[in-house]
Amino acid sequence: MTLEDIRTKILNVASNLFESRGIHASGVDTIIAEAGVAKATLYKHFPSKDLLVIAFLKRNADSFIDRLSQGLKEKPAEPADKLVQLCSLLEQHILTQRSKGLPFHLASVEFPDPKHPVHQYSVRLSNELQAYIVDLAKEAGMVEPESISQQIIMLFEGASLVERLSPGRGATARAKQAAILLIRSSLGR
């Protein structure tokens, strides 16, 4: 097994534990035991649990943005229609069984201290998602792209929370409908 394979294995195990149990509830000893590695090996690849959490957040955020970008590329559309497609992609993301929301939002809840590195990294990732949607809104000619982006994120994060608490109640479909109405009204359609 290569060093990269070992690193990936540790990150995979930690990711599964963080997603299923929560970050604080997943101790380093549990991660080491489940990954079948020595403590020194874990710390060689991730000098602290915070750095392991940040690697988890980065990988999930990169994967999430890649899925959104790929989904938008699969069906070429006018800029305004891309925002509507984005709503469908966000709906699909929330409705997947593994989704519990955006990992960096959840991590910011577990690490509420604004000075903590995990919280700071969560803010950075949230800002990157906001910027991604702002760029789509600017492309579509929105007058207030920052406002639209923030509203879309709030609708879908709220829907994600409701789906977690009351699965199958239609919150995600309603968030999608509200976001599309918001987009169309902002475009004067």
Side-chain angles (χ1 to χ4, degrees):
M1 195 175 262
T2 68
L3 288 176
E4 187 57 34
D5 291 341
I6 294 168
R7 183 185 191 284
T8 299
K9 181 180 181 180
I10 294 167
L11 185 54
N12 288 342
V13 167
S15 296
N16 289 335
L17 289 168
F18 295 158
E19 289 171 355
S20 64
R21 298 179 184 181
I23 296 168
H24 285 308
S26 303
V28 170
D29 290 338
T30 303
I31 295 166
I32 289 167
E34 297 228 0
V37 297
K39 189 175 268 194
T41 301
L42 181 135
Y43 284 114
K44 176 180 178 180
H45 292 281
F46 302 98
S48 70
K49 183 177 177 186
D50 289 345
L51 292 175
L52 178 58
V53 172
I54 288 170
F56 156 74
L57 295 174
K58 180 180 180 349
R59 183 170 73 171
N60 281 6
D62 289 349
S63 174
F64 177 66
I65 294 294
D66 287 348
R67 280 193 315 276
L68 293 179
S69 296
Q70 187 61 38
L72 292 175
K73 285 179 188 171
E74 286 175 5
K75 296 181 182 177
E78 295 297 315
D81 294 330
K82 282 184 182 180
L83 282 169
V84 173
Q85 286 179 351
L86 176 74
C87 293
S88 294
L89 293 169
L90 290 168
E91 177 186 38
Q92 290 169 13
H93 172 76
I94 292 169
L95 293 176
T96 61
Q97 290 194 345
R98 285 193 50 171
S99 175
K100 291 182 171 82
L102 300 173
F104 48 89
H105 288 172
L106 299 173
S108 70
V109 171
E110 285 201 51
F111 294 88
D113 179 0
K115 294 178 184 172
H116 194 283
V118 171
H119 184 89
Q120 290 175 349
Y121 195 71
S122 295
V123 169
R124 178 177 154 195
L125 293 174
S126 182
N127 289 339
E128 287 175 9
L129 175 61
Q130 179 95 14
Y132 178 83
I133 298 174
V134 165
D135 288 345
L136 291 174
K138 283 180 181 176
E139 246 183 81
M142 298 272 175
V143 177
E144 295 182 33
E146 291 83 8
S147 176
I148 295 296
S149 173
Q150 189 176 52
Q151 291 173 63
I152 289 170
I153 290 170
M154 288 184 328
L155 284 166
F156 283 100
E157 266 304 297
S160 179
L161 177 61
V162 172
E163 286 292 340
R164 241 184 332 211
L165 298 173
S166 302
R169 301 283 302 265
T172 307
R174 284 191 274 290
K176 178 182 168 184
Q177 290 169 347
I180 291 170
L181 284 172
L182 176 70
I183 291 163
R184 289 192 173 140
S185 71
S186 296
L187 291 168
R189 290 185 179 180

